[in-house]
């Protein structure tokens, strides 16, 4: 079925969002059209303001606002000896929901996958090495996803961090192989963090 050009454009744009298929895009589009104008305007404003104001933390590359350090890096109660390395900012939120980790984070902004054009230079690896050297970090906890790319990234981290005289651990595999960190429940993540193990270079 063909809709008016404005409606079809809305459906097409919604369909480009991750996890939103054609039918879901239609449902969201119809919901928005039926919703009060002020609610739709608030949503549009929130999207526009987030895009304009949210950037990356200059220390850990988590999301932050106005170019400042993120709330985790600004928190003086955080234990600076521990740095948990994750692939993306949503993984930080997943681990924070467990209330188990009290250190800081480092977001690589991707996973090592040369086939997809993601090499060492595309990851925030050099920045991590600088932090380990300058911030008296004693343990780096690798919390990349338990899939092929995540494991390759973990191996890469061990290789680069080994000369820096820092303990490198990997979160325990209470997480399903092939899964994503952001979809894991709090209990599974808590157990994975608690059961982390030292990582040895092959």
């Amino acid at each position: 079925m063909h809709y008016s050009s404005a409606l079809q454009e809305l459906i097409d744009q919604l369909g480009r969002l991750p996890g939103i298929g054609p039918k879901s895009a239609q449902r969201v589009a119809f919901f928005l059209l039926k919703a009060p104008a002020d609610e739709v305007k608030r949503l549009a404003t929130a999207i526009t303001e987030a895009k304009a104001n949210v950037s990356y933390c200059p220390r850990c590359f988590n999301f932050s606002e106005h170019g400042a350090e993120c709330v985790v890096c600004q928190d003086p109660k955080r234990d600076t000896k521990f740095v948990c390395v994750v692939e993306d900012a949503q993984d930080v939120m997943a681990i924070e929901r467990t209330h188990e980790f009290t250190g800081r984070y480092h977001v690589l902004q991707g996973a090592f996958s040369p086939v997809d054009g993601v090499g060492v230079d595309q990851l925030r690896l050099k920045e991590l090495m600088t932090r380990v050297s300058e911030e008296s970090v004693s343990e780096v906890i690798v919390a990349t996803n338990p899939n092929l790319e995540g494991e390759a990234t973990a191996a890469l981290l061990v290789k680069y961090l080994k000369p820096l005289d820092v303990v490198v651990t990997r979160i325990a595999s209470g997480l399903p192989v092939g899964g994503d960190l952001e979809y894991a429940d709090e209990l599974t993540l808590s157990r994975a963090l608690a059961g982390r193990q030292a990582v040895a270079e092959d």
Side-chain angles (χ1 to χ4, degrees), residues 1-30 32-33:
M1 179 177 179
H2 295 285
Y3 298 104
S4 66
S5 57
L7 175 54
Q8 190 61 54
E9 176 66 11
L10 176 59
I11 293 171
D12 290 345
Q13 292 303 318
L14 289 170
R16 295 177 62 190
L17 298 174
I20 303 291
K23 289 184 179 179
S24 294
Q26 283 184 12
R27 282 196 296 272
V28 174
F30 293 156
L32 291 172
L33 291 176

Side-chain angles (χ1 to χ4, degrees), residues 86-88 107-112 118 122-123 144 153:
V86 296
E87 294 177 21
D88 297 299
V107 182
L108 294 173
Q109 296 186 338
F112 184 63
V118 182
Q122 282 70 49
L123 302 176
T144 52
T153 306

Side-chain angles (χ1 to χ4, degrees), residues 141 169-174 188-198:
I141 303 164
T169 58
R170 180 89 164 99
I171 58 173
S173 56
T188 298
L189 268 174
S190 295
R191 288 175 175 170
L193 276 168
R196 63 184 184 273
Q197 301 171 346

Side-chain angles (χ1 to χ4, degrees), residues 40-92:
V40 177
K41 189 175 290 186
R42 281 199 299 273
L43 174 61
T45 300
I47 294 172
T48 303
E49 289 187 356
K51 186 63 179 174
N53 298 321
V54 176
S55 56
Y56 295 110
C57 172
R59 181 191 296 269
C60 75
F61 303 98
N62 185 17
F63 285 129
S64 63
E65 292 194 24
H66 307 294
E69 288 190 354
C70 68
V71 293
V72 175
C73 285
Q74 289 183 29
D75 187 351
K77 296 178 182 177
R78 290 282 176 161
D79 192 338
T80 58
K81 296 192 300 294
F82 300 96
V83 172
C84 183
V85 181
V86 296
E87 294 177 21
D88 297 299
Q90 58 261 40
D91 298 333
V92 172

